[in-house]
Amino acid sequence: MVTPQRLENQLTDKGYVPVYTTAVVEQPWDSYTATDHEVWATLFKRQRELLAGRACDEFIQSQEAMGMGAGAIPKFAELNRLLRDSTGWELIGVQGLLPELTFFEHLANRRFPVTWWIRKPEQLDYLAEPDLFHDLFGHVPLLMNPVFADYMQAYGCGGVKAHGIGPEALAQLTRLYWYTVEFGLIKTDAGLRIYGSGIVSSKGESLHCLDSAAPNRIGFDLLRVMRTRYRIDTYQKTYFVIDSFEQLFDATRPDFTPYYDQLAKQETIPAGEVLASDAMFNRGTGEGWLTDGDV
Ligand SMILES: [Fe+2]
């Protein structure tokens, strides 16, 4: 086994440059400091308080079923016992960002990579890359949900395929991940709720995505989502709303190859644009939007 290192994006005069790693490491649980556990506790308590009535029930219930609490950073080995029994998923420790194909191959085999290290106290509100809090608090709970668990695996299989097709297909598939797994909203009888990991692990975006008048909230449509560019440096201009996790899984059931052919003939859509064909929940006011910077 490799000795775990903390591999972070490098800050240069051109912004953050990602650092990729492929090593799978044992979670060095005994090496977490009191400060690391405190960062976990602070973020855990803050987000759970904020997410009451905001995150979907499946997220909160799964997190509770896993026994995640503020007390200490959870042990991957303990979570794995529960996960394997419920949906057959397994967490693996990683040092930072994985190359795309490696990431997809793990998902396709029901392995979810979790960054072993946690942010520093001065990074509570923003970090340029995923850390343990984002991955574990944000992504892992829904792997307990059988339908979402299957969706994640289907996404991984689709990713391996898209990687073989080419960069355009990969970009289109990445948009799907971004607008669902990372920044998805779900419609419930009680109103819109959050299920995206990028939202539940961020204080600012947990508030913004539901309370702000600025963003669009649009009904999920697979091909529409796969054409829509997104923001990595600011809150999203548009959130897509699913009806259920079944809807999401069903959308990824077919082979995407014909979709890629179809999408190749169409323009991408700017992050904040609304189309006449969109099923609107709210049209955003666009307040505070930057005019450039969509990726
Ligand atoms: Fe993420």
Side-chain angles (χ1 to χ4, degrees):
M1 253 313 173
V2 175
T3 308
Q5 293 178 55
R6 177 184 176 126
L7 289 181
E8 291 176 74
N9 292 350
Q10 300 296 309
L11 183 57
T12 70
D13 54 1
K14 292 185 182 63
Y16 283 98
V17 178
V19 177
Y20 294 98
T21 166
T22 55
V24 172
V25 297
E26 192 83 43
Q27 181 189 24
W29 197 86
D30 291 334
S31 76
Y32 292 130
T33 63
T35 307
D36 291 334
H37 289 295
E38 258 167 53
V39 167
W40 169 266
T42 303
L43 288 171
F44 187 95
K45 282 188 232 155
R46 186 173 88 173
Q47 284 310 106
R48 278 298 293 262
E49 212 164 285
L50 203 61
L51 292 173
R54 291 174 182 277
C56 64
D57 291 344
E58 290 88 342
F59 176 84
I60 300 288
Q61 284 162 6
S62 298
Q63 204 171 55
E64 282 171 0
M66 296 189 93
M68 274 195 208
I73 293 174
K75 292 181 176 168
F76 297 174
E78 283 174 12
L79 298 178
N80 273 341
R81 275 197 285 275
L82 279 165
L83 261 179
R84 281 197 207 104
D85 286 348
S86 48
T87 56
W89 274 78
E90 168 187 25
L91 311 182
I92 50 167
V94 293
Q95 310 187 102
L97 281 180
L98 295 176
E100 276 162 333
L101 184 58
T102 310
F103 179 64
F104 293 141
E105 283 170 345
H106 283 309
L107 296 187
N109 289 287
R110 286 174 110 83
R111 293 188 296 264
F112 195 81
V114 176
T115 306
W116 72 265
W117 54 264
I118 194 160
R119 66 193 73 186
K120 302 184 179 97
E122 59 273 23
Q123 297 170 311
L124 287 190
D125 292 318
Y126 183 75
L127 194 64
E129 71 247 88
D131 72 332
L132 180 136
F133 186 74
H134 169 80
D135 288 339
L136 200 55
F137 182 96
H139 282 283
V140 170
L142 282 180
L143 295 175
M144 292 279 279
N145 178 281
V147 182
F148 194 83
D150 286 348
Y151 171 64
M152 288 296 283
Q153 182 179 23
Y155 180 83
C157 295
V160 172
K161 213 183 270 183
H163 194 269
I165 295 173
E168 277 307 304
L170 207 51
Q172 287 150 1
L173 196 70
T174 301
R175 293 185 197 118
L176 174 64
Y177 190 87
W178 191 263
Y179 279 119
T180 60
V181 178
E182 293 290 356
F183 291 97
L185 297 180
I186 185 167
K187 191 172 87 173
T188 76
D189 292 341
L192 297 188
R193 292 289 183 269
I194 305 163
Y195 72 91
S197 322
I199 307 177
V200 293
S201 58
S202 155
K203 180 186 174 187
E205 195 126 11
S206 295
L207 294 167
H208 181 85
C209 72
L210 294 178
D211 296 357
S212 169
N216 301 312
R217 299 176 187 88
I218 300 176
F220 176 82
D221 175 295
L222 180 71
L223 293 182
R224 177 1 167 156
V225 169
M226 290 172 76
R227 289 174 61 199
T228 310
R229 302 209 300 271
Y230 55 87
R231 309 295 304 194
I232 54 168
D233 55 342
T234 63
Y235 298 142
Q236 301 309 305
K237 292 180 174 178
T238 297
Y239 299 94
F240 289 96
V241 182
I242 59 170
D243 294 330
S244 63
F245 293 133
E246 283 80 7
Q247 180 196 20
L248 204 52
F249 181 59
D250 287 345
T252 53
R253 217 184 276 271
D255 177 15
F256 278 20
T257 312
Y259 297 158
Y260 297 133
D261 294 339
Q262 188 181 331
L263 291 168
K265 300 181 198 100
Q266 293 179 299
E267 295 284 310
T268 59
I269 304 167
E273 195 164 305
V274 171
L275 308 181
S277 52
D278 285 338
M280 298 303 295
F281 283 83
N282 306 101
R283 192 188 186 108
T285 60
E287 195 191 334
W289 285 0
L290 302 175
T291 50
D292 57 0
D294 291 2
V295 297

